Amino acid sequence: MAHELNIPANLVPKIWAKKVWNEGNKDSYFDKFTSTDGKNVIHTNKDLTRAKGDSVTFGIAMNLKGEGVKDNTTLKGAEDELTLHDYTINTHFVRNAVVRRVHEDQKSPYDNLKMIKTALVQWLADWKDNKLISALSALPTSGEFITASSAGTESSITANDKLTCALISKARRKALMHAPKVVPIKVDGQDKYIMLVHPLAARDLKSDPTWLAAQQHANIRGSKNPIFSGALGEYDGVVLYEYERVLCDKKGSASANVCHNLLLGRQAACFAVSKEAYHIKDVDDYGNKEGNGIAFYGEIAKTKYNAHDYGILQVMTGGADD
């Protein structure tokens, strides 16, 4: 005879909060670009024991520079030295909750938590995505951007300065030759960059004959790697995604739209967590008013090295309104 799993009442809030945290992170748009080993676009920490109080330190690794040795050449004394730079993020106390009137329903509090849980899962996913796109789209540091405008400035961009395959290739070359190099991520054993593009820029790209030909003859085919899920297509080692939250402002020539498309490599941003979500509750009005929610200590920031953007290149293009 099967036995039902009985969860002690005092553990239900803890389990509920853990589910909100896990599902909210999983529902984030950036989940497929996130890892705990620094080998994807978003680096998050897994071991909370390394979090010191309200801060988390990430290791930013530089590429090895040595040539190695051949045959019987002595390696001792010719080894490479791993250079790691600390990047510390201060976390903040983040909370949200949903309040309800107990007399308005006939369900137990934990039945109502199912609906509140769904709402908070969506809120957490939105919080993470909004924080990430805001951090990644923040004003690029010197040398960490290119523009479709020949003048090379944001203020000179017009609607005719469209996203093209030629510009994608130019951005890839700049990322490869950047110091330090914007390190691509490994996808099925191959080096790839990720590029998030605004829908207006994606529309313009789709009118580029070179893009159309590339997608017809060499688009992503048959791969089960989750990194390709939802991709717009691929060109010259860059996997592109149309993403509506990519920043688009009116800072171009004569207030033209400027799409702040993002070419991303490893550790472009860090998601620091010093304490995972836990359940919070508030009861008022003699038990008739009850709020349930989550709280955690976390923060998201664009990774920087020597005060410069580390794993990102902003690609500014025009984009006429439809």
Side-chain angles (χ1 to χ4, degrees):
M1 180 178 179
H3 295 278
E4 292 185 2
L5 179 62
N6 293 316
I7 301 174
N10 64 323
L11 291 182
V12 172
K14 183 176 181 180
I15 294 172
W16 176 83
K18 187 174 182 63
K19 286 183 177 180
V20 171
W21 179 251
N22 290 340
E23 292 177 24
N25 278 291
K26 185 177 180 180
D27 285 355
S28 162
Y29 179 84
F30 285 92
D31 181 65
K32 61 178 170 287
F33 306 130
T34 302
S35 71
T36 58
D37 59 7
K39 294 181 179 180
N40 212 325
V41 172
I42 311 301
H43 189 180
T44 190
N45 58 306
K46 181 179 181 181
D47 187 358
L48 297 184
T49 62
R50 295 186 180 181
K52 303 299 182 183
D54 61 352
S55 67
V56 178
T57 299
F58 296 85
I60 308 300
M62 300 295 105
N63 290 347
L64 299 180
K65 297 181 179 180
E67 296 181 359
V69 299
K70 295 185 293 185
D71 302 326
N72 292 325
T73 304
T74 301
L75 177 59
K76 188 173 181 61
E79 304 96 337
D80 249 321
E81 185 172 331
L82 181 63
T83 303
L84 285 173
H85 296 275
D86 290 346
Y87 183 64
T88 300
I89 298 177
N90 293 323
T91 60
H92 298 281
F93 186 38
V94 183
R95 297 178 293 168
N96 200 7
V98 179
V99 68
R100 72 179 225 286
R101 298 281 181 179
V102 176
H103 84 279
E104 292 177 353
D105 60 76
Q106 300 299 316
K107 299 179 180 180
S108 73
Y110 292 116
D111 284 334
N112 283 289
L113 282 180
K114 292 179 181 178
M115 294 182 290
I116 295 173
K117 169 181 164 290
T118 299
L120 286 172
V121 164
Q122 184 61 55
W123 169 80
L124 180 59
D126 287 339
W127 177 89
K128 183 177 178 182
D129 290 341
N130 287 331
K131 290 280 289 184
L132 278 165
I133 201 66
S134 177
L136 292 168
S137 302
L139 187 66
T141 54
S142 178
E144 278 68 51
F145 72 95
I146 63 172
T147 74
S149 167
S150 58
T153 63
E154 180 180 7
S155 61
S156 65
I157 291 175
T158 70
N160 291 324
D161 294 315
K162 299 178 180 181
L163 179 63
T164 63
C165 287
L167 190 63
I168 293 169
S169 292
K170 181 179 178 180
R172 177 179 174 274
R173 289 193 299 273
K174 184 175 178 65
L176 287 170
M177 295 185 292
H178 190 270
K181 175 182 177 179
V182 178
V183 183
I185 64 175
K186 286 287 185 184
V187 181
D188 297 338
Q190 297 182 328
D191 288 339
K192 305 287 184 184
Y193 286 115
I194 301 301
M195 190 170 181
L196 305 182
V197 301
H198 189 273
L200 294 177
R203 176 205 61 197
D204 292 342
L205 178 63
K206 292 174 185 176
S207 67
D208 183 348
T210 304
W211 171 263
L212 295 174
Q215 304 321 299
Q216 181 178 0
H217 300 294
N219 197 4
I220 301 163
R221 302 180 190 279
S223 176
K224 296 182 179 180
N225 194 302
I227 207 75
F228 293 119
S229 175
L232 181 68
E234 180 180 355
Y235 184 78
D236 197 14
V238 181
V239 184
L240 290 93
Y241 299 81
E242 181 178 351
Y243 189 41
E244 69 279 3
R245 298 189 192 195
V246 169
L247 175 64
C248 182
D249 55 29
K250 292 186 176 294
K251 294 184 178 180
S253 177
S255 298
N257 289 332
V258 177
C259 301
H260 296 257
N261 311 296
L262 304 169
L263 185 140
L264 307 169
R266 289 189 190 181
Q267 294 182 298
C270 293
F271 178 23
V273 180
S274 55
K275 185 174 183 179
E276 289 188 348
Y278 59 91
H279 179 244
I280 54 176
K281 181 177 179 179
D282 182 71
V283 179
D284 199 4
D285 191 23
Y286 295 92
N288 184 45
K289 189 176 180 181
E290 183 176 299
N292 285 280
I294 59 169
F296 62 93
Y297 286 81
E299 183 58 291
I300 289 170
K302 180 165 56 172
T303 309
K304 293 190 177 184
Y305 167 70
N306 282 349
H308 289 275
D309 294 345
Y310 173 74
I312 180 173
L313 189 68
Q314 199 166 123
V315 183
M316 301 182 192
T317 65
D321 290 323
D322 288 325

